[in-house]
Amino acid sequence: MPEIDSIDSIDRRLLALLQEDGRRTYSDMAGIVGLSVAAVKRRVDRLQEVGVITGFTAQVDHAKLGWGVEAFTELRYAGTTRVADIVATASTVPEVQSIFTIAGDPDALVRVRVRDVAHLQEVIDTLRTAGTVTGTKTLLVLGAWNRGAS
């Protein structure tokens, strides 16, 4: 993968604009940052080529799809468990959206999305019996805010 020489203030502004709206047009961004459409396209292409921009996604209202409950579960594993095994075990559970392996206690933090609290209990039971999990602690999300997300 090519390396990026530098990221300047215009690149950072373009990144912020794309994080606000990944479908924003080159023309719109060009007007905001004061460059030509072609120059903006070249910059965005370069940011993709070097791996700074890794993709574009749609933001979904999961509650409207019937998956309105989100939680974070701390996972503690036996001391001999490898990090790769933690990821491999938790990633087999379809409701797990993200896995963060972390230093300290706990060993991992997983973000889960479920239909309701009964479904959450099923998922937690599945995680507790997977691999070498020695303990869990679950935090129910009441609300969320994300930088750059609408």
Side-chain angles (χ1 to χ4, degrees), residues 62-63 67-71 94-97 111-115 119 123:
H62 294 281
W67 294 78
V69 176
E70 186 173 27
E95 295 85 355
V96 170
Q97 304 297 298
R111 183 174 60 93
V112 299
R113 186 168 298 282
V114 294
R115 293 182 302 273
H119 186 199
V123 171

Side-chain angles (χ1 to χ4, degrees), residues 93 95 114-129:
V93 180
E95 295 85 355
V114 294
R115 293 182 302 273
D116 52 35
V117 174
H119 186 199
L120 177 61
Q121 182 177 342
E122 293 172 22
V123 171
I124 299 309
D125 285 345
T126 299
L127 288 168
R128 284 182 175 162
T129 58

Side-chain angles (χ1 to χ4, degrees), residues 14 24 29 35 37 49 53 55 60 67 69 93 104 111 114 123 136:
L14 292 172
R24 190 179 297 266
M29 292 187 292
L35 293 176
V37 173
E49 183 181 311
I53 296 174
V60 175
W67 294 78
V69 176
V93 180
R111 183 174 60 93
V114 294
V123 171
T136 64

Side-chain angles (χ1 to χ4, degrees), residues 11 22 29-30 44 46 48 53 63 66 69-71 77 79 83 85 87 98 102 108 110 119 130 143 150:
D11 290 333
M29 292 187 292
V44 171
R46 179 177 54 94
Q48 286 181 282
I53 296 174
V69 176
E70 186 173 27
Y77 285 80
V83 172
D85 294 337
V87 174
S98 306
I102 54 180
V110 298
H119 186 199
S150 54

Side-chain angles (χ1 to χ4, degrees), residues 11-122:
D11 290 333
R12 291 185 196 289
R13 183 69 178 127
L14 292 172
L15 290 168
L17 291 169
L18 287 170
Q19 286 178 299
E20 288 172 10
D21 181 359
R23 292 177 48 159
R24 190 179 297 266
T25 66
Y26 295 130
S27 177
D28 179 50
M29 292 187 292
I32 293 170
V33 301
L35 293 176
S36 70
V37 173
V40 168
K41 182 179 183 330
R42 279 193 305 273
R43 283 175 177 258
V44 171
D45 288 348
R46 179 177 54 94
L47 291 167
Q48 286 181 282
E49 183 181 311
V50 299
V52 172
I53 296 174
T54 58
F56 297 89
T57 63
Q59 294 178 6
V60 175
D61 184 339
H62 294 281
K64 289 184 179 176
L65 297 173
W67 294 78
V69 176
E70 186 173 27
F72 288 89
T73 299
E74 297 177 355
L75 299 176
R76 287 165 186 78
Y77 285 80
T80 58
T81 306
R82 298 174 335 138
V83 172
D85 294 337
I86 293 171
V87 174
T89 300
S91 65
T92 63
V93 180
E95 295 85 355
V96 170
Q97 304 297 298
S98 306
I99 304 165
F100 304 90
T101 53
I102 54 180
D105 182 33
D107 299 301
L109 184 65
V110 298
R111 183 174 60 93
V112 299
R113 186 168 298 282
V114 294
R115 293 182 302 273
D116 52 35
V117 174
H119 186 199
L120 177 61
Q121 182 177 342
E122 293 172 22

